[in-house]
Amino acid sequence: MPPHLHPRSRSTTGLFAGTLLASLMVVGIPHVFPCPAPRRTFADSEMIMTADGQQIQRVRRRRRKDVDPTAQDESIPARTPLASEEDVSTFLQLEEEAALLSKPGRECPVPKPTGILDTEIDWTTYMQQIQLFINGERDYTLIKGSTGPLVYPAAHVYSYTALYHITDEGRDIAFGQAIFAFLYLITLTIVMSCYRRLGAPPYLFPLLVLSKRLHSIYMLRLFNDGLAGLVMWVSIWFFINRKWALGVIAWSLGLGIKMTLILLAPAVIVLLALSLSILPCAKLALLALGIQVLLAMPFLPTNPQGYFNSAFEFGRQFMYKWTVNWRFIPEDIFLSPDWWRALIVLHALILVAFGLTSFLRPAGSNLFNFIRKFCTGQHRGIPLHHNFIMSVLLTSLAIGLLCARSLHYQFFAYLSWATPYLLWRTGGHPVIVCIIWLFQEIAWNTYPSTNTSSAIVVLSLVAQVFGLLANRKDAFPILSSAPKEHTQ
């Protein structure tokens, strides 16, 4: 066999790849580009010349034979001027085109994918709010859309302003969905890089790409959670590589897109306090705060209180029918202030429990001694294990989601890629890990949520959080006894 025809030769591989690419293009082109205009005769398509060289437009009527406009019939009285003929022809053809366009089967010989352009939920509202911002409105309380007021920080406004201009003022939703599909691929690449950096086992990687709900959040719904999730994982990548300043900058920018990233604040504080002394930590804290002030600068002169109340509203009242996590409790309890306060207390207690037993393991001392040394400048920083950094960050996120008053479907953008790692660090068997992941995925894809699905959402988070607490020695390794990482 000639070398260039060998199954493993470069020529054969290139031929196969080229054929596959060509096949994808042939199949995909009708789904990407609009169908050609249907074959119909336009008003100026058929012109007949008279003997003196003048053009006479043919009158199109529904009859068996067309009358020759050049023929002279003395029995027929003189016709109206040529302008009337053109008006009649144009009117008839417009009626014919309207009838053709009203037939759904006449649009395209190749069926195009359906259910794409009509799946956005908040995109139209985002674009309405951005239009007000572009028109000069700087009072955050007056920036509203069809589904409600603007309740996200300023980085959200700037991000969607760019999308507003790229997508023809928000009208080209299909192109916006293509952009978010690209953002999804970028985020997935960063997530996989983090997993590989931490020596995660190979069976976790398929779980990162199989979430139907995650695909919907990014590529169909166009939620700002996709942008915030991307920036969150960028900050996690910087943190696990001990790039503290870059990690803080990325995290603060993500917080400027959506307030959900504030759930990482306890972890960021713990990691910076363990790794640095008090003066560098204070500088990074001022950096994070300064970024938020700079983002808010266009809105602060007009109504600073209105901006912070709208962008960082902690006491927002959520609707019971949209909740994903606490559907199984009665609605009156869900809406009561006592339930909200109980969740805040539970959140604080779980964080303290992890702080006393897990988060301070690298320090080798209790909480009070560590705080004393840190505040007096005796603490000089401790090198942290990569898995410890990741575990602290994602555990803080999971605790916040577990104790959240209400989770909507778009919050899965933060949890989906964190769950495989958290379940792995609980020390569970791979089969158990996959089963819990599957039940969680099914629960988040149940719409509307039910008592069963919401209970599964909460129980899966309980398994992740308290599984880490039970397996804290392995879940939060320190460098002196860090386990050998998996090699790819």
Side-chain angles (χ1 to χ4, degrees):
M1 179 182 296
H4 61 277
L5 294 180
H6 193 275
R8 295 184 179 179
S9 66
R10 293 184 177 180
S11 300
T12 306
T13 303
L15 179 63
F16 171 77
T19 304
L20 179 62
L21 181 61
S23 303
L24 293 175
M25 291 180 62
V26 170
V27 175
I29 283 176
H31 295 259
V32 175
F33 296 99
C35 292
R39 296 179 181 178
R40 55 172 70 97
T41 303
F42 294 97
D44 58 349
S45 59
E46 294 188 13
M47 308 298 291
I48 301 177
M49 305 296 296
T50 59
D52 56 357
Q54 295 181 356
Q55 292 182 346
I56 300 178
Q57 186 174 1
R58 185 174 182 177
V59 180
R60 298 183 56 83
R61 300 178 183 272
R62 294 178 177 267
R63 54 189 177 185
R64 295 181 180 180
K65 292 185 178 180
D66 291 334
V67 179
D68 187 1
T70 60
Q72 300 292 332
D73 191 348
E74 297 180 356
S75 62
I76 301 178
R79 316 196 103 205
T80 56
L82 182 60
S84 300
E85 295 284 353
E86 292 178 352
D87 293 340
V88 171
S89 175
T90 303
F91 175 77
L92 293 175
Q93 293 193 38
L94 288 175
E95 280 191 331
E96 182 180 358
E97 291 178 8
L100 291 174
L101 291 174
S102 64
K103 299 178 181 179
R106 189 72 173 90
E107 293 182 359
C108 185
V110 179
K112 296 175 71 65
T114 58
I116 300 298
L117 299 181
D118 57 349
T119 55
E120 63 87 17
I121 295 178
D122 286 338
W123 173 266
T124 302
T125 297
Y126 292 164
M127 294 299 104
Q128 294 169 352
Q129 295 166 350
I130 297 305
Q131 181 65 56
L132 292 176
F133 170 73
I134 293 176
N135 291 339
E137 182 59 65
R138 293 298 181 267
D139 188 343
Y140 234 63
T141 60
L142 300 180
I143 302 178
K144 301 178 180 180
S146 56
T147 61
L150 178 59
V151 292
Y152 307 116
H156 159 87
V157 176
Y158 306 144
S159 301
Y160 277 84
T161 299
L163 292 172
Y164 176 89
H165 294 293
I166 294 174
T167 59
D168 189 20
E169 299 182 354
R171 289 187 287 266
D172 195 349
I173 301 178
F175 186 55
Q177 290 172 329
I179 294 174
F180 271 80
F182 184 65
L183 295 177
Y184 168 83
L185 294 176
I186 295 177
T187 312
L188 179 61
T189 302
I190 297 173
V191 172
M192 287 188 169
S193 299
C194 292
Y195 273 64
R196 189 176 184 276
R197 179 74 173 87
L198 302 171
Y203 76 88
L204 294 181
F205 287 86
L207 305 182
L208 302 176
V209 299
L210 296 178
S211 175
K212 178 183 177 182
R213 175 60 64 188
L214 194 61
H215 298 163
S216 173
I217 293 170
Y218 268 87
M219 295 177 280
L220 295 181
R221 308 301 183 181
L222 306 172
F223 287 126
N224 60 354
D225 301 85
L227 289 172
L230 169 60
V231 182
M232 182 188 77
W233 281 100
V234 170
S235 67
I236 291 175
W237 170 257
F238 285 133
F239 281 134
I240 64 176
N241 287 280
R242 304 186 186 93
K243 307 293 184 180
W244 306 116
L246 294 176
V248 168
I249 292 173
W251 172 71
S252 185
L253 289 175
L255 182 62
I257 296 175
K258 193 160 187 178
M259 194 182 64
T260 308
L261 266 66
I262 203 171
L263 298 178
L264 294 179
V268 174
I269 294 173
V270 168
L271 294 176
L272 295 180
L274 288 173
S275 303
L276 305 171
S277 59
I278 185 172
L279 185 58
C281 286
K283 292 180 179 179
L284 291 179
L286 291 176
L287 175 62
L289 181 61
I291 290 175
Q292 297 304 315
V293 174
L294 288 176
L295 292 174
M297 282 301 295
F299 308 99
L300 295 182
T302 304
N303 188 356
Q305 183 177 358
Y307 171 78
F308 287 107
N309 290 342
S310 299
F312 301 98
E313 185 180 357
F314 292 95
R316 187 182 310 162
Q317 182 72 33
F318 295 97
M319 299 181 66
Y320 180 73
K321 65 178 181 178
W322 298 119
T323 187
V324 180
N325 54 337
W326 297 115
R327 168 76 68 172
F328 58 90
I329 67 172
E331 184 174 0
D332 56 341
I333 297 178
F334 175 85
L335 297 176
S336 66
D338 294 336
W339 173 250
W340 175 51
R341 297 188 187 98
L343 290 175
I344 294 176
V345 173
L346 179 63
H347 191 178
L349 291 176
I350 297 177
L351 285 175
V352 170
F354 272 91
L356 296 175
T357 61
S358 306
F359 290 173
L360 294 181
R361 290 191 70 239
S365 62
N366 58 47
L367 177 61
F368 301 103
N369 289 335
F370 175 78
I371 294 177
R372 179 180 56 81
K373 291 181 179 180
F374 180 80
C375 294
T376 57
Q378 300 178 28
H379 176 72
R380 297 300 180 185
I382 303 170
L384 302 178
H385 194 278
H386 305 300
N387 289 94
F388 177 86
I389 298 173
M390 182 79 151
S391 296
V392 171
L393 288 167
L394 297 187
T395 300
S396 179
L397 175 67
I399 294 172
L401 295 177
L402 172 62
C403 301
R405 187 177 187 179
S406 179
L407 295 180
H408 295 173
Y409 288 96
Q410 57 265 38
F411 282 80
F412 201 53
Y414 312 99
L415 177 63
S416 178
W417 280 320
T419 293
Y421 176 85
L422 294 175
L423 292 175
W424 169 52
R425 300 310 296 181
T426 62
H429 191 275
V431 176
I432 302 299
V433 170
C434 294
I435 290 176
I436 296 177
W437 175 90
L438 179 61
F439 273 98
Q440 177 178 267
E441 180 69 23
I442 294 173
W444 279 88
N445 279 279
T446 301
Y447 178 81
S449 62
T450 63
N451 293 343
T452 303
S453 68
S454 62
I456 293 175
V457 168
V458 174
L459 290 176
S460 63
L461 284 168
V462 168
Q464 296 171 53
V465 171
F466 291 96
L468 291 168
L469 188 61
N471 192 45
R472 54 185 174 273
K473 290 185 178 180
D474 294 330
F476 300 91
I478 57 179
L479 287 177
S480 59
S481 59
K484 183 178 180 180
E485 294 187 357
H486 176 79
T487 57
Q488 300 294 325

